[in-house]
Amino acid sequence: MTTHTWGVIPWLLWKMTTHTWGVIPWLLWKMTTHTWGGDSLASVEDDDPYMGGDSLASVEDDDPYMGGDSLASEEDDDPYMGGDSLASVEDDDPYMGVIPWLLWKMTTHTWGLVYMDHISSHLQKLDDSQASVESDDPYLDTKLRLKLLMARSCGDQNNFAQTLRILKETYKECKGSADGSVLCQWGVVYASTHYKKIRALLEPWKEETLTSLFTAFDQLDKMSENEALLANPRLGRQHRVLTGEGRGLMALGIQDFDLKGLRGTRAEQKLMQHSGLEKMTKVEVTEKLISHGYSMMKSSLAVEGGVADTQIDGMSADQAYLATAKYCDNFLRQKEEGDLDIGDRCVSAFPESVVVCLLQALKLGSLEARQRFPRLLQIIELHPESTSTFVSKSAEVPSWMFMLWISQMLAILDKPEAIAAVVYPLKLSQEGFKFGTSKKDIVHKDAVDRLAGLLGPDQLPLADRLILALECFGQPDQEIKDSFDEMAKLLKKGKKTQAKVVYNKLFNRIINYKVREKNEAAQGSMKREVGSSGEGTGLDETTADESLITSLPGLDIGSYARKFADKFKKDFDTKFGPEGNKITSMSLKEFAVHKQFIMNLFEEVKLKTSPLYPPGKLSEYSHWMANFNPNIHGRDLEIPGQYTGLSKPLPEYHVKIAGFDQAVKVMTSLRKPKRVTIHGNDERDYHFLVKGGEDLRQDQRIEQLFYIMNQVFLQDPACRSRKLQLKTYQVIPMTSRRSFQKLSTSPEAFHVLRSHCMQTHAMLCMCQYVMGIGDRHLSNFMVNLNTGEMIGIDFGHAFGSATQFLPIPELVPFRLTRQLRNLMLPLQEQGLVESTMIHQNAERQLQSLDSSEETMHWYPREKIQYVKRKLKGANPAYITRDELKLGHGKKAVFKDYETVALGHKENARCQLPEAGLTVEQQVTALIDQATDPNIHGRTWVGWEPWM
């Protein structure tokens, strides 16, 4: 209204003819009481007496003049005059049909002339006065920066139309600003918005996509001569990074593009201009674009100095290093996976650049660089020439930053905080070490033994004693069953001697405790004699004696384990012979009969009235824990789990163990995990779940992946506004069969919040689907009784193994049974559940996979590809089919499995294509498969699909 006088006239006339003349007094009142400069005809003010039932503020669908914001400037440097113009003047311009109508109205209606004269003269005066006011506004630059922040926020939410609208409205003012940095910031938002818009495309690129990208390039090129880039290094870095990222984006985008179709077009000229080539072959263009982008990314690292990092504009040094590392790593991955047809020379410098830039970003405090650190291990394995650079540069990084990844903890043994942080993972890893007999293997073994000596019982008696005490919390019947299963596999292969070895280990650990106790007591007495003289230990008499007393494992067998062993020892000797002598002459069939006999005896353990049911008193498991006193045993035993790697550890402030609660809560799941409460010296209680019988290193890594996913969700505005976060817990493996799982729940109250329960369950379902986590029976879920929050536990089956390996394959992507759906009546899954699943941005999760893929090296590469297929829009039914084929493809029943998985023609998943689904379609297919009664009726009974 203040810049285009003639443009408002037809709008006013249209309003006058459709709003029963109520506009006339409103206009007069406005002209006499308001300056009109800063006010909009659409503002709704409390003191406006004419804002009644027919308010001018309402934006009606049938208002033909509410579409155009302003006329596009026809200046050559106006970015909106190209293919991306939001206000192009076309043949269907609503103002073109109004002119004859306006002339007719003005010649036939006296009121039209009167009011138009008043309005025109008044607006002309305001035009002049407003221009002078704005030119003298000392806060204009600040206002423009706030609008640019608003535009950037809209872009973060993928509201690209609103972003471009704000940019168009502010372009002239930014261009006319005396502060050149304002125009630079405008160009940065403009280019980054176009990049995000293009990355969000699901279909292959078209010529319009190239044109849009070239428009962003043109704006960045114009900025390159702006002195503000030199005055503000943060902006200078960001300008160069955006220029480089744009070239890389185009290099990837043209891979599925037919360049022959561009011949003779402006897009071809632009592409040749930016690649510097006269002939357009796809490989050469791609390599030129990648090289140009790499040069720009490297140049951003040379920018020194800058304003304080607290400023929100521009890019800090650590962000520039991280961006460069990601740029190089992206093309390395594409090359490794065969998705990019380029020569080796083009990316020859990228491995070392990733190592240098990622470690430098980590050194400068980048959290994302810390999360990406394991990728460096892959790079030095694939590109050994970068190893020396890795060694030299990693020495410059503070050691605690490696603690986020267990595999890196051993690199910090020379630091004060290393001992307590490394003791548990080293103890765990030692059990699986297998050394060869070559000279190199022997040297390697000696080095590991020396490291183990630094963390042995003599150096850390309390930590080692805690690990041994946890051995007492295992469920004997389940451990025996696991050993029997292992023996059956060995007997099936004819390895009877090895089966006997497994039996003896089992028998001596659980059944024959009296002999073990006697032997270990004798060893303890011998050590005491050595320790009292101080010979060979480096300890004084008091310290040596205390160390030995607190580290005798045989003296801590609780009454529960003793009762169990005494009850069944005779049966073991009868069936398997003393020391398992009958096993070497036993057939697999005979072993199965004896195994079943023993397992039938264990049915007594399941009865709560039985004396062999797991007790609820700590003293019946471990006397040492029940009688622990820091004044006697020592005050240096820390509560496990305080070395997270998320911040620098300060051991002097870590919470120490003051004692253990005498009550133990036994969970009802199969392996009967026990909840133990530790009293901290900060007068707080810490709940831990002691779980035996499984190797929980996989659980720990899954939790790490969930943590990374949570960080990604926090960066996404849609997820952040909905508070979509997975509830994670810390898994601390201590031996291959024991672990502490740190809980953050409290059972003191029962208050289930329905919406929170189902929102967190939907969140959990989607994340577990991405990671292929199966076996989701009722015992693998926990509910926070304070908040209703759903928590997933036990990730023994991950990456599709429940579908591939279980005898009755799991065909559902996650648990969404009728009972859970009815919890959300009347909308069921179509309400909050579906909405939450849709807003778990697949693009963001794909980014999290880039950060975490290197932590999943213990799985075949094929499984990682399944994860990527899911995140790129694959139909979940076909994923299930492919996983079924891996484990059951040769079975006669496979065709029936496949039919059930793919569904009937009436199922939504069956009506959708195999790949290329939108997020909404994928969620629809997932829910259809998860709620299919035909699948639920064929599920293993222990999964309890009726609940």
Side-chain angles (χ1 to χ4, degrees):
M1 288 177 60
T2 59
T3 59
H4 294 280
T5 306
W6 67 268
V8 80
I9 294 174
W11 183 85
L12 289 173
L13 292 176
W14 180 82
K15 280 292 183 184
M16 290 182 202
T17 57
T18 56
H19 287 273
T20 325
W21 287 82
V23 75
I24 297 174
W26 184 88
L27 287 172
L28 294 173
W29 177 80
K30 274 291 185 186
M31 287 190 281
T32 56
T33 59
H34 290 264
T35 310
W36 282 77
D39 292 335
S40 167
L41 281 175
S43 72
V44 183
E45 304 180 50
D46 295 337
D47 59 346
D48 189 337
Y50 297 98
M51 298 308 289
D54 211 5
S55 171
L56 282 174
S58 68
V59 180
E60 303 175 8
D61 294 336
D62 59 347
D63 188 339
Y65 302 99
M66 296 308 290
D69 293 323
S70 65
L71 292 182
S73 168
E74 295 185 1
E75 301 177 24
D76 294 337
D77 56 351
D78 190 335
Y80 296 100
M81 293 307 294
D84 222 4
S85 171
L86 291 178
S88 62
V89 182
E90 302 175 1
D91 294 338
D92 57 349
D93 189 337
Y95 295 103
M96 300 305 293
V98 151
I99 295 175
W101 179 88
L102 175 59
L103 294 175
W104 177 77
K105 275 290 183 185
M106 293 177 65
T107 56
T108 56
H109 293 271
T110 309
W111 61 263
L113 294 173
V114 175
Y115 284 104
M116 294 319 301
D117 285 343
H118 282 289
I119 293 172
S120 179
S121 61
H122 192 76
L123 290 178
Q124 185 61 44
K125 294 176 182 178
L126 290 173
D127 249 354
D128 299 336
S129 62
Q130 183 67 18
S132 63
V133 170
E134 290 187 355
S135 63
D136 298 332
D137 187 354
Y139 303 107
L140 180 60
D141 288 347
T142 302
K143 293 177 182 178
L144 290 174
R145 285 192 173 92
L146 289 175
K147 287 185 178 180
L148 293 177
L149 283 175
M150 186 187 301
R152 190 169 70 180
S153 177
C154 293
D156 290 340
Q157 301 177 53
N158 292 341
N159 190 350
F160 304 121
Q162 182 65 20
T163 302
L164 294 173
R165 185 175 295 115
I166 296 173
L167 289 173
K168 186 187 71 171
E169 293 172 354
T170 57
Y171 175 69
K172 285 187 177 180
E173 293 172 322
C174 290
K175 185 180 178 182
S177 173
D179 187 350
S181 64
V182 176
L183 182 59
C184 289
Q185 291 177 38
W186 185 96
V188 164
V189 177
Y190 183 84
S192 59
T193 300
H194 279 274
Y195 292 175
K196 290 177 184 176
K197 187 176 180 181
I198 291 172
R199 289 190 181 107
L201 293 176
L202 297 177
E203 63 274 3
W205 283 25
K206 300 178 181 179
E207 185 177 344
E208 293 79 5
T209 312
L210 290 176
T211 303
S212 178
L213 196 54
F214 289 142
T215 306
F217 288 177
D218 291 341
Q219 288 304 307
L220 291 173
D221 290 343
K222 290 177 184 178
M223 288 171 53
S224 59
E225 299 179 359
N226 195 318
E227 295 180 357
L229 297 181
L230 297 176
N232 188 337
R234 290 179 63 97
L235 279 177
R237 290 192 197 99
Q238 190 167 24
H239 172 263
R240 300 184 187 199
V241 166
L242 283 173
T243 303
E245 287 179 342
R247 269 57 178 184
L249 180 60
M250 179 161 287
L252 294 175
I254 64 174
Q255 297 308 303
D256 298 326
F257 199 92
D258 184 11
L259 296 184
K260 294 180 180 179
L262 295 179
R263 288 178 180 173
T265 64
R266 187 170 181 270
E268 181 191 35
Q269 297 175 356
K270 282 284 188 180
L271 187 57
M272 294 173 65
Q273 173 189 334
H274 289 291
S275 63
L277 296 173
E278 297 181 359
K279 295 182 180 180
M280 289 213 329
T281 64
K282 185 175 292 186
V283 174
E284 290 180 342
V285 171
T286 301
E287 291 181 349
K288 279 290 185 180
L289 289 171
I290 293 174
S291 298
H292 184 199
Y294 177 57
S295 298
M296 293 303 300
M297 300 296 290
K298 281 208 309 182
S299 68
S300 70
L301 308 179
V303 179
E304 297 181 356
V307 293
D309 283 350
T310 55
Q311 290 201 4
I312 54 178
D313 62 308
M315 180 174 282
S316 61
D318 65 295
Q319 291 172 329
Y321 276 105
L322 179 63
T324 305
K326 291 165 68 174
Y327 178 90
C328 297
D329 190 37
N330 184 30
F331 288 108
L332 276 180
R333 289 179 185 272
Q334 297 278 343
K335 178 70 174 172
E336 291 167 6
E337 296 172 4
D339 295 335
L340 196 59
D341 184 17
I342 56 175
D344 294 336
R345 185 177 180 182
C346 180
V347 295
S348 60
F350 285 10
E352 188 163 347
S353 294
V354 174
V355 172
V356 171
C357 293
L358 202 59
L359 288 174
Q360 188 64 23
L362 195 145
K363 178 182 176 181
L364 294 174
S366 171
L367 177 60
E368 186 176 349
R370 209 178 309 160
Q371 294 168 355
R372 289 177 175 267
F373 176 76
R375 168 61 175 164
L376 297 183
L377 298 181
Q378 286 184 326
I379 288 179
I380 61 176
E381 180 182 0
L382 296 173
H383 306 277
E385 66 276 6
S386 59
T387 303
S388 59
T389 303
F390 172 81
V391 173
S392 61
K393 291 295 181 181
S394 61
E396 301 174 5
V397 180
S399 59
W400 65 267
M401 291 185 173
F402 299 127
M403 290 183 181
L404 184 60
W405 306 102
I406 292 181
S407 59
Q408 295 307 307
M409 288 185 180
L410 300 181
I412 59 171
L413 288 177
D414 59 334
K415 306 301 178 187
E417 65 268 20
I419 299 300
V422 180
V423 59
Y424 300 134
L426 182 63
K427 187 85 173 179
L428 172 65
S429 300
Q430 263 187 296
E431 298 179 10
F433 287 163
K434 294 180 180 179
F435 297 99
T437 57
S438 65
K439 287 186 177 181
K440 187 176 181 180
D441 291 329
I442 294 174
V443 172
H444 188 191
K445 183 178 183 301
D446 291 340
V448 172
D449 290 341
R450 287 197 301 271
L451 294 178
L454 295 175
L455 303 175
D458 291 338
Q459 299 294 329
L460 294 166
L462 290 178
D464 194 73
R465 194 65 192 82
L466 178 60
I467 294 174
L468 293 171
L470 292 177
E471 293 282 350
C472 303
F473 286 86
Q475 191 58 30
D477 56 318
Q478 288 299 317
E479 294 186 38
I480 292 171
K481 179 181 180 299
D482 292 341
S483 295
F484 279 173
D485 291 342
E486 185 179 355
M487 291 170 62
K489 293 178 181 178
L490 293 171
L491 290 173
K492 188 176 181 180
K493 296 177 180 179
K495 299 179 179 180
K496 295 185 177 182
T497 303
Q498 294 183 26
K500 181 182 176 182
V501 172
V502 173
Y503 175 83
N504 285 329
K505 287 182 179 179
L506 162 71
F507 187 80
N508 292 332
R509 187 178 74 251
I510 297 178
I511 304 298
N512 201 22
Y513 71 90
K514 292 182 180 179
V515 174
R516 180 166 66 93
E517 189 176 48
K518 181 179 179 181
N519 292 338
E520 291 178 344
Q523 292 177 8
S525 298
M526 186 168 58
K527 288 183 179 180
R528 230 183 241 105
E529 294 176 4
V530 176
S532 62
S533 62
E535 295 178 5
T537 65
L539 304 174
D540 59 33
E541 181 176 346
T542 304
T543 306
D545 190 58
E546 180 180 321
S547 173
L548 292 168
I549 290 175
T550 57
S551 61
L552 292 179
L555 304 178
D556 193 32
I557 299 176
S559 58
Y560 176 64
R562 294 170 186 267
K563 284 190 295 184
F564 189 95
D566 294 339
K567 173 79 173 177
F568 299 111
K569 183 179 185 300
K570 184 178 179 180
D571 296 305
F572 271 79
D573 287 339
T574 301
K575 297 298 179 182
F576 301 103
E579 299 182 355
N581 292 331
K582 293 183 179 181
I583 294 177
T584 54
S585 59
M586 190 178 295
S587 67
L588 179 61
K589 186 175 181 180
E590 290 176 316
F591 175 78
V593 172
H594 295 327
K595 170 189 171 183
Q596 191 58 48
F597 175 81
I598 297 294
M599 298 312 296
N600 289 338
L601 296 178
F602 291 163
E603 289 295 316
E604 180 184 351
V605 179
K606 299 179 182 179
L607 302 176
K608 291 188 176 181
T609 56
S610 169
L612 294 180
Y613 189 82
K617 293 182 179 179
L618 182 66
S619 58
E620 295 191 55
Y621 295 101
S622 169
H623 293 297
W624 181 84
M625 291 177 68
N627 299 319
F628 180 82
N629 187 334
N631 295 322
I632 298 175
H633 298 93
R635 301 175 182 272
D636 296 329
L637 183 58
E638 297 181 1
I639 291 180
Q642 299 183 75
Y643 295 87
T644 63
L646 301 178
S647 59
K648 183 177 181 179
L650 299 172
E652 61 271 23
Y653 297 109
H654 282 185
V655 181
K656 307 299 192 298
I657 295 178
F660 298 88
D661 196 281
Q662 297 301 309
V664 174
K665 183 174 183 179
V666 181
M667 302 300 179
T668 58
S669 58
L670 180 65
R671 295 188 177 276
K672 299 293 187 293
K674 286 84 178 174
R675 196 194 74 174
V676 175
T677 301
I678 300 178
H679 301 310
N681 64 354
D682 60 348
E683 300 185 1
R684 295 178 60 188
D685 288 343
Y686 297 85
H687 301 300
F688 287 82
L689 196 66
V690 185
K691 185 177 181 182
E694 292 182 358
D695 186 350
L696 293 192
R697 282 174 286 186
Q698 176 168 285
D699 288 47
Q700 182 195 31
R701 287 172 175 135
I702 293 294
E703 286 297 327
Q704 280 185 318
L705 296 180
F706 284 167
Y707 163 75
I708 293 175
M709 285 183 175
N710 276 341
Q711 298 304 307
V712 172
F713 295 146
L714 283 174
Q715 297 172 12
D716 184 80
C719 296
R720 187 169 61 247
S721 63
R722 290 170 174 79
K723 298 181 180 180
L724 300 184
Q725 286 280 285
L726 286 170
K727 187 67 176 179
T728 61
Y729 53 88
Q730 194 168 13
V731 182
I732 310 167
M734 293 186 170
T735 77
S736 62
R737 305 180 66 83
R738 305 285 180 273
S739 77
F740 257 179
Q741 298 183 13
K742 186 173 183 180
L743 301 181
S744 57
T745 60
S746 174
E748 284 122 12
F750 185 81
H751 182 58
V752 178
L753 303 176
R754 185 182 75 159
S755 61
H756 196 202
C757 177
M758 292 310 297
Q759 186 181 54
T760 54
H761 181 65
M763 186 88 177
L764 190 64
C765 285
M766 289 301 288
C767 291
Q768 291 183 347
Y769 164 69
V770 171
M771 305 309 299
I773 296 172
D775 196 26
R776 296 294 89 195
H777 53 78
L778 292 175
S779 296
N780 284 339
F781 291 95
M782 298 179 68
V783 178
N784 187 325
L785 300 183
N786 287 338
T787 64
E789 190 169 22
M790 191 78 77
I791 305 171
I793 62 173
D794 190 357
F795 307 119
H797 285 283
F799 297 98
S801 63
T803 305
Q804 179 178 351
F805 296 115
L806 289 180
I808 302 178
E810 195 167 289
L811 303 182
V812 289
F814 43 73
R815 187 179 190 91
L816 193 58
T817 58
R818 185 177 301 175
Q819 297 286 49
L820 287 169
R821 294 163 60 200
N822 288 345
L823 182 61
M824 292 304 296
L825 283 172
L827 297 178
Q828 292 193 328
E829 70 276 5
Q830 302 303 321
L832 181 63
V833 174
E834 184 179 47
S835 173
T836 301
M837 290 180 176
I838 288 174
H839 282 92
Q840 284 185 251
N841 193 305
E843 178 188 357
R844 289 289 189 178
Q845 291 198 30
L846 191 58
Q847 293 174 9
S848 76
L849 183 64
D850 288 340
S851 301
S852 56
E853 180 180 339
E854 50 272 6
T855 71
M856 301 183 288
H857 63 272
W858 70 94
Y859 266 93
R861 195 81 179 174
E862 184 179 28
K863 294 292 187 179
I864 308 303
Q865 294 304 317
Y866 282 149
V867 177
K868 290 188 175 182
R869 284 176 58 191
K870 293 174 184 178
L871 296 178
K872 291 181 178 179
N875 189 323
Y878 290 89
I879 296 286
T880 303
R881 180 201 63 183
D882 294 345
E883 290 175 337
L884 272 170
K885 192 173 183 179
L886 291 176
H888 305 272
K890 296 181 180 180
K891 297 180 180 179
V893 75
F894 171 71
K895 285 294 181 183
D896 296 325
Y897 284 152
E898 182 182 30
T899 302
V900 174
L902 295 180
H904 190 263
K905 62 182 180 180
E906 296 179 355
N907 289 111
R909 66 184 186 276
C910 187
Q911 300 169 13
L912 294 170
E914 183 175 350
L917 274 61
T918 64
V919 175
E920 291 78 7
Q921 289 174 328
Q922 202 172 11
V923 169
T924 298
L926 283 167
I927 292 178
D928 177 75
Q929 186 175 347
T931 58
D932 190 348
N934 189 34
I935 294 179
H936 286 177
R938 303 171 191 273
T939 304
W940 173 59
V941 64
W943 199 83
E944 299 178 288
W946 56 87
M947 287 296 294

